[in-house]
Amino acid sequence: MSKRSTDHTTITIERHFKAPLPRVFNAWAIPEHKQQWFACHGEWKQLDFRLDFRTGGSESNRTASTDGVVHAYEARYVDVVQNERFIYAFDMMLDDVRISVSLATVSFEPEPGGTKMIFVEQVVFLDGYSDNGSRLMGTEIGFDNLRLYVEGDDGRPN
């Protein structure tokens, strides 16, 4: 029998975008928009993506890394307040192994010249999975892509 364990951590990221709040919020909420920036590894192959962004809705994203490992993300939206915040719970899996379960809150505030976004993820890594900072790094890369997308930069990802 394998050893069961839990390792809890919290990730907090604050970002400031030179884009109006509805544009930043909708980049999360509209499937065609989110697909433009959500991937943190451009060379990975998209296998499946679904988004039903509403309280009680869900999201599914499956990609294959260059070495063939399937990375699966399954989320459920617990609370959505248009242009203010949303809260969601999600699992991350590598192939068929659940590596983490998280609760995330994303909040938005207008500010002069743009939007402030605060992301807080309470994550529990499971059964000895050693993250070594890769969750934070991948999330930061995703938010760099979000910046490029919402600010309309020519270097827009995907």
Side-chain angles (χ1 to χ4, degrees):
M1 180 157 99
S2 65
K3 183 179 180 215
R4 300 293 184 187
S5 64
T6 57
D7 181 23
H8 298 258
T9 193
T10 299
I11 297 169
T12 301
I13 301 171
E14 182 175 313
R15 289 290 182 103
H16 300 266
F17 300 102
K18 295 176 186 170
L21 192 152
R23 179 165 171 78
V24 178
F25 191 90
N26 285 335
W28 288 86
I30 298 171
E32 298 79 16
H33 294 204
K34 190 165 186 183
Q35 280 189 288
Q36 295 297 309
W37 66 269
F38 189 61
C40 61
H41 300 285
E43 68 279 4
W44 289 10
K45 181 182 177 187
Q46 182 77 53
L47 302 174
D48 178 52
F49 178 81
R50 294 183 329 268
L51 174 60
D52 177 12
F53 189 86
R54 61 180 174 83
T55 299
S58 63
E59 181 174 4
S60 175
N61 187 34
R62 292 178 54 246
T63 58
S65 60
T66 54
D67 61 0
V69 175
V70 175
H71 295 249
Y73 162 91
E74 296 288 333
R76 183 177 69 83
Y77 290 92
V78 178
D79 182 61
V80 175
V81 179
Q82 184 71 30
N83 292 327
E84 290 185 31
R85 70 161 189 259
F86 59 92
I87 301 166
Y88 61 108
F90 66 97
D91 297 348
M92 296 287 294
M93 297 183 69
L94 295 177
D95 289 328
D96 293 325
V97 177
R98 180 173 289 106
I99 60 167
S100 68
V101 178
S102 297
L103 178 68
T105 302
V106 185
S107 58
F108 304 86
E109 294 177 25
E111 61 183 12
T115 303
K116 177 170 98 172
M117 181 187 83
I118 299 174
F119 171 88
V120 179
E121 179 183 352
Q122 298 164 298
V123 59
V124 56
F125 294 105
L126 302 172
D127 302 332
Y129 177 76
S130 180
D131 178 67
N132 295 323
S134 64
R135 176 70 55 88
L136 175 61
M137 183 178 67
T139 304
E140 291 275 13
I141 290 168
F143 292 167
D144 290 344
N145 290 341
L146 174 59
R147 174 184 313 285
L148 292 172
Y149 181 75
V150 299
E151 292 181 359
D153 190 307
D154 290 335
R156 185 178 295 178
N158 300 330

